[in-house]
Amino acid sequence: MNNDILYMQTPDLNKERLIKLKELFPDIFTGEGKLDIEEVKKIVDPQSVTDVEKFEFRWFGKSGAKRLAFTPTKTTLAYDKKRSVNPDDSNGNMIIEGENLEVLKCLLAGYREKIKCIYIDPPYNTGNDFIYSDKWDESKEDYLEHIGVTQDGIKLDTNTEASGRYHSNWLCMMYSRLLVARQLLREDGVIFISIDDNEVHHLRKLCDEVFWQDNFVATICIQANKGGQDYKDIAKTHEYLICYTKYSETELNEIENKEKKLPFNDNIGKFEIRELRNRNPKFGKFNRPNLFFPIYINPNAKNEDGFCLVSLIKNDKYFIESYPYNSEGKESCWRWSKPLIEKNNTEDILTTQVIAKQKNDGNWNIYEKCRKTTSKVKTIWDETNVRTEQGTIELRDLYLKGFFDHPKPVSIIKKCIEIAIQDKDDIILDFFAGSGTTAQAVMELNREDGGNRKFILVQVPELTDEKSEAYKAGYKKISDITIERNKRVIQKIEEETKNNKDLFNSMVTEDKSISNLGFKVYRLAKSNFTRVDFKPDTTKDENENNSLLKNYIQDKEFIHLSMVDEKIVLDEILLKNGFTLNYKIQKLPDFSKNTVYNVVDGYRGCLICIDMNIAEETFKILQEYKDKVFICLEKSLDTSMKWNLTHLFNERLVSF
Ligand SMILES: C[S@@+](CC[C@H](N)C(=O)[O-])C[C@H]1O[C@@H](n2cnc3c(N)ncnc32)[C@H](O)[C@@H]1O
């Protein structure tokens, strides 16, 4: 029933006229269906429109979203020991419960440029998705509640098409997060984003802006549903995976191709042949003159595969001349230089790397013998194990059937990691973690190849639906499912290893210890340094406000800090001073009047003391450590101690 009849009113003619106008002139409407008055003015009074036309991507709220991305956070990450699994074996693996923009900002100091690979699977904006909406002007309490700093979890808003800012809301949400995420990526970092037709076109433009268009690698098409959505006129069977690198020089890995057949054999092993001519039209004699030269062929000594020996020198044996011409007769070039060919060429067909073969038309091609069993990843992924139903099966295998809708198949994320990561020690980040598939992919890959990759997952404490299986089983927040799933993955791997079963077709043997199978859970929390609540008095000048702040720190913050668990305060101070949360801490026995720790995290080191007073004797012992960074609380220093420590450590003294 249409709404006019429902409300017993006459038809809304304004609405009707707008619909007609849109049918006739869709170009004067915004992408979100609103009449664009500026476009109308351009028709009726072009002189009145003075805006400079330029190529840009704009939407409602864009500048606010950018500002928000670069506004500091007043939160921190608090360790949740109870929900952690094998924390002593976590080796940097973390599941963080919290709103991802705030969490990413918290991670920024310690993890800037340390993340090698990001995989995310954000809400696709289908019209029914729950989208977190950032609020820019709310009170402190509302803000903390809003970002999920509450034990009870939060409800996200549904972003419906009727909202009028449907695409803008989604773009704002993604823009600020991607801007911060880019800072976390290493120089050679790679990001993969799952998406579908609802926002793929906007996401490409957004990423072109955030990561820059030259760093676009590919849009991969994944056959998610073989049968297709047949309620549409054309049954849609695919979704997308967008890939960008931080810098265009970054090289991605080929991956092992089990189906690849190497048809030929020589003394070195199996091989296939690959044309030595560079088939890329961007290269040729015109820009690579040194790679354009003749190679001479000995046609009289063919082996059973029809391969002949070659030489760079013409003589009685090697007399057929071959230049790198393309099929149209244009001058291209070789892929190898003369010295490289010399190095790889022998006079024995069973050991040489360069050969020639005659084509059916009588001409000759020069080939390299190629022995690798890897190949470049293609832009269409249609294996059975990337289909959506596979993700559901994987959750069922962990006895979590129906606990989470549409988890991604583990294989998709494994493949992303294999493409992006060379060093098996690197960190993978997923800040739309959902059921936590990314952690499973990382742990499984590590078990398969003995790697030591680490994961950081972020999941907002979004409430599960009261009617859902998960809620009934006691998982009130999606983050509870993220944690539970990966706890079960660990248990499963541990059991399988103990039973000496080769669960993941790996090389795991009975005596191989189970290491790095654990994770720490952190929660987004209000900073322990309550000075973030201090509001300057607008009637006072800067100096007066500074001394008010100092008093505030001495009184309120001091009382608060003395009540908080020491580990939580250490975590916050170290994280904000650029340490990763995977730091190693050791109490130094030579200090008897204060507790002084030595901290290292693989990137940096320091001494830290968070006692409320620093004793004279401590200062004397600290002389032996004067090359280190020393971190302490400002409150612990009286004027003379501050002077002494400043002279001892110079800029390596950090007090706050
Ligand atoms: C499409 S799901 C990801 C599914 C995941 N790839 C898997 O395999 O289970 C997106 C997830 O992002 C979470 N999410 C949405 N907005 C968020 C935010 N602002 N911060 C953190 N998580 C958020 C949602 O709660 C949801 O669990």
Side-chain angles (χ1 to χ4, degrees):
M1 193 189 296
N2 91 26
N3 272 351
D4 296 335
I5 299 174
L6 185 67
Y7 291 104
M8 296 300 284
Q9 62 193 18
T10 56
D12 182 344
L13 294 182
N14 274 331
K15 206 166 143 194
E16 250 184 57
R17 278 145 57 95
L18 271 174
I19 292 171
K20 277 267 169 290
L21 200 58
K22 195 168 162 197
E23 277 167 14
L24 284 172
F25 308 112
D27 59 298
I28 58 170
F29 284 77
T30 68
E32 289 168 320
K34 289 196 170 171
L35 182 65
D36 188 337
I37 299 297
E38 291 303 303
E39 288 300 316
V40 178
K41 275 200 217 158
K42 279 181 203 164
I43 301 170
V44 293
D45 184 12
Q47 259 67 33
S48 71
V49 184
T50 53
D51 68 330
V52 184
E53 287 183 348
K54 55 180 175 180
F55 185 82
E56 62 179 330
F57 182 37
R58 291 165 66 178
W59 66 87
F60 182 84
K62 181 176 182 183
S63 39
K66 189 178 216 171
R67 218 172 22 254
L68 188 69
F70 298 117
T71 307
T73 178
K74 295 174 175 175
T75 55
T76 186
L77 301 179
Y79 179 43
D80 189 339
K81 190 172 178 190
K82 267 203 208 131
R83 295 159 86 201
S84 300
V85 177
N86 299 346
D88 295 340
D89 283 328
S90 61
N91 190 39
N93 293 334
M94 297 196 280
I95 295 183
I96 305 171
E97 181 182 78
E99 195 291 301
N100 54 14
L101 180 57
E102 298 294 316
V103 173
L104 292 177
K105 288 182 190 178
C106 283
L107 291 174
L108 208 49
Y111 291 83
R112 180 179 291 226
E113 303 208 339
K114 294 202 176 91
I115 307 292
K116 170 66 182 165
C117 174
I118 297 179
Y119 168 79
I120 51 168
D121 174 19
Y124 287 0
N125 212 18
T126 55
N128 304 312
D129 282 347
F130 297 114
I131 304 284
Y132 180 85
S133 41
D134 300 305
K135 305 248 175 10
W136 302 323
D137 50 3
E138 57 196 347
S139 74
K140 173 106 192 129
E141 289 64 36
D142 289 349
Y143 158 78
L144 290 173
E145 181 104 346
H146 191 78
I147 59 173
V149 179
T150 141
Q151 296 295 328
D152 307 328
I154 59 169
K155 241 188 151 43
L156 303 192
D157 306 327
T158 316
N159 191 32
T160 62
E161 283 190 63
S163 80
R165 300 227 167 107
Y166 173 64
H167 294 294
S168 294
N169 290 343
W170 188 85
L171 280 164
C172 282
M173 189 274 293
M174 291 299 290
Y175 188 40
S176 41
R177 283 152 186 82
L178 290 178
L179 282 170
V180 187
R182 185 179 178 277
Q183 319 264 331
L184 291 168
L185 267 187
R186 254 170 39 184
E187 273 204 4
D188 58 352
V190 188
I191 181 165
F192 295 90
I193 310 177
S194 284
I195 200 70
D196 77 358
D197 281 326
N198 285 290
E199 294 292 352
V200 64
H201 47 315
H202 292 142
L203 184 64
R204 272 295 313 276
K205 283 200 225 152
L206 185 70
C207 289
D208 276 353
E209 184 167 326
V210 175
F211 297 101
W212 189 234
Q213 60 207 35
D214 290 0
N215 300 321
F216 168 70
V217 180
T219 298
I220 294 160
C221 204
I222 297 185
Q223 192 178 60
N225 169 3
K226 199 162 183 341
Q229 298 168 343
D230 56 9
Y231 52 87
K232 298 197 169 171
D233 290 340
I234 293 181
K236 200 175 94 182
T237 61
H238 68 282
E239 55 180 57
Y240 307 100
L241 186 63
I242 285 186
C243 176
Y244 280 77
T245 48
K246 188 160 176 180
Y247 292 105
S248 55
E249 296 80 35
T250 303
E251 284 182 10
L252 300 182
N253 301 324
E254 295 194 346
I255 60 173
E256 199 59 37
N257 182 352
K258 293 194 183 96
E259 270 139 45
K260 193 164 180 177
K261 300 261 180 303
L262 300 179
F264 307 109
N265 225 326
D266 67 5
N267 282 1
I268 300 168
K270 289 182 181 295
F271 67 90
E272 62 179 351
I273 51 174
R274 184 174 169 218
E275 230 191 297
L276 200 70
R277 186 177 64 83
N278 194 333
R279 298 163 70 101
N280 186 340
K282 278 191 192 161
F283 302 105
K285 188 182 174 192
F286 62 98
N287 61 357
R288 297 285 186 278
N290 292 345
L291 295 178
F292 186 85
F293 50 83
I295 294 179
Y296 299 98
I297 304 158
N298 172 0
N300 296 323
K302 280 188 191 153
N303 76 355
E304 67 273 21
D305 294 314
F307 298 147
C308 297
L309 286 166
V310 299
S311 166
L312 289 173
I313 299 160
K314 189 174 184 178
N315 58 29
D316 292 350
K317 276 204 296 188
Y318 297 90
F319 56 86
I320 293 185
E321 197 172 59
S322 175
Y323 275 95
Y325 289 110
N326 72 12
S327 54
E328 290 160 13
K330 293 211 176 100
E331 292 164 330
S332 45
C333 60
W334 302 118
R335 287 187 289 109
W336 288 9
S337 63
K338 276 187 179 177
L340 191 61
I341 293 178
E342 253 159 28
K343 198 171 144 208
N344 284 284
N345 195 24
T346 66
E347 289 207 24
D348 181 353
I349 203 79
L350 292 173
T351 55
T352 187
Q353 294 301 314
V354 194
I355 48 169
K357 189 171 183 188
Q358 197 162 23
K359 296 190 288 184
N360 290 340
D361 65 5
N363 287 322
W364 292 81
N365 263 351
I366 308 292
Y367 297 97
E368 163 202 3
K369 288 181 182 172
C370 209
R371 300 171 195 279
K372 62 188 172 81
T373 51
T374 55
S375 45
K376 282 200 173 122
V377 169
K378 307 244 165 41
T379 52
I380 293 183
W381 296 3
D382 55 3
E383 310 86 277
T384 328
N385 64 6
V386 300
R387 291 194 200 140
T388 306
E389 64 194 15
Q390 179 64 22
T392 311
I393 293 170
E394 283 156 358
L395 217 51
R396 189 197 63 197
D397 289 349
L398 294 164
Y399 306 102
L400 292 168
K401 185 176 169 206
F403 279 39
F404 189 85
D405 291 339
H406 314 307
K408 280 280 173 288
V410 176
S411 296
I412 293 183
I413 305 171
K414 275 187 177 173
K415 211 163 162 179
C416 294
I417 297 172
E418 285 182 301
I419 301 167
I421 287 189
Q422 288 92 25
D423 184 348
K424 292 180 184 158
D425 256 6
D426 288 339
I427 310 176
I428 295 103
L429 168 70
D430 178 350
F431 50 92
F432 286 97
S435 66
T437 313
T438 300
Q440 180 166 349
V442 171
M443 287 191 280
E444 286 190 9
L445 268 183
N446 284 347
R447 296 311 294 162
E448 285 166 25
D449 63 11
N452 191 21
R453 307 167 189 87
K454 302 141 189 32
F455 60 83
I456 301 178
L457 264 53
V458 186
Q459 172 57 43
V460 74
E462 181 181 341
L463 291 169
T464 50
D465 188 329
E466 290 187 15
K467 292 188 211 96
S468 68
E469 291 301 316
Y471 187 91
K472 286 182 210 152
Y475 303 104
K476 303 276 185 287
K477 298 175 275 178
I478 294 182
S479 38
D480 294 335
I481 304 171
T482 326
I483 294 168
E484 182 59 29
R485 174 191 189 153
N486 286 295
K487 186 176 168 184
R488 294 185 188 198
V489 170
I490 289 174
Q491 284 164 350
K492 192 168 181 182
I493 296 177
E494 283 173 343
E495 264 165 42
E496 295 287 345
T497 310
K498 248 186 246 146
N499 297 339
N500 194 21
K501 278 194 190 153
D502 193 350
L503 175 64
F504 303 115
N505 286 334
S506 68
M507 307 285 288
V508 179
T509 59
E510 198 171 12
D511 34 318
K512 190 164 180 182
S513 65
I514 301 167
S515 57
N516 304 336
L517 268 181
F519 56 85
K520 286 186 178 167
V521 174
Y522 286 83
R523 275 182 300 104
L524 187 66
K526 189 178 161 183
S527 170
N528 297 295
F529 289 80
T530 53
R531 71 188 74 168
V532 293
D533 289 337
F534 174 78
K535 285 199 182 66
D537 184 338
T538 46
T539 62
K540 303 224 161 21
D541 68 20
E542 199 182 328
N543 283 340
E544 287 171 318
N545 267 316
N546 281 347
S547 65
L548 281 176
L549 175 61
K550 275 190 186 148
N551 292 340
Y552 180 93
I553 293 172
Q554 294 279 342
D555 306 338
K556 286 210 170 171
E557 185 170 283
F558 172 55
I559 295 167
H560 178 77
L561 280 180
S562 56
M563 292 186 308
V564 181
D565 181 69
E566 187 193 52
K567 158 94 178 118
I568 289 193
V569 180
L570 282 171
D571 275 350
E572 176 166 4
I573 297 177
L574 289 167
L575 184 63
K576 289 188 172 158
N577 276 284
F579 283 79
T580 65
L581 287 169
N582 190 27
Y583 62 81
K584 303 264 172 298
I585 188 160
Q586 187 197 12
K587 191 169 158 185
L588 292 172
D590 31 353
F591 294 91
S592 58
K593 293 277 189 279
N594 287 110
T595 308
V596 181
Y597 296 103
N598 185 36
V599 176
V600 286
D601 78 342
Y603 301 93
R604 58 181 72 202
C606 74
L607 295 191
I608 184 164
C609 171
I610 57 166
D611 292 351
M612 293 301 165
N613 286 297
I614 294 197
E616 276 300 324
E617 191 188 306
T618 301
F619 173 68
K620 283 189 198 134
I621 305 171
L622 280 173
Q623 322 256 343
E624 291 163 34
Y625 296 92
K626 65 179 184 335
D627 295 333
K628 296 250 182 189
V629 170
F630 180 63
I631 302 180
C632 62
L633 297 176
E634 179 76 19
K635 162 84 184 81
S636 66
L637 309 176
D638 59 25
T639 316
S640 73
M641 183 58 79
K642 179 141 193 189
W643 195 91
N644 287 340
L645 286 175
T646 308
H647 278 80
L648 183 62
F649 290 105
N650 300 313
E651 73 286 355
R652 291 182 306 286
L653 172 69
V654 182
S655 62
F656 59 102

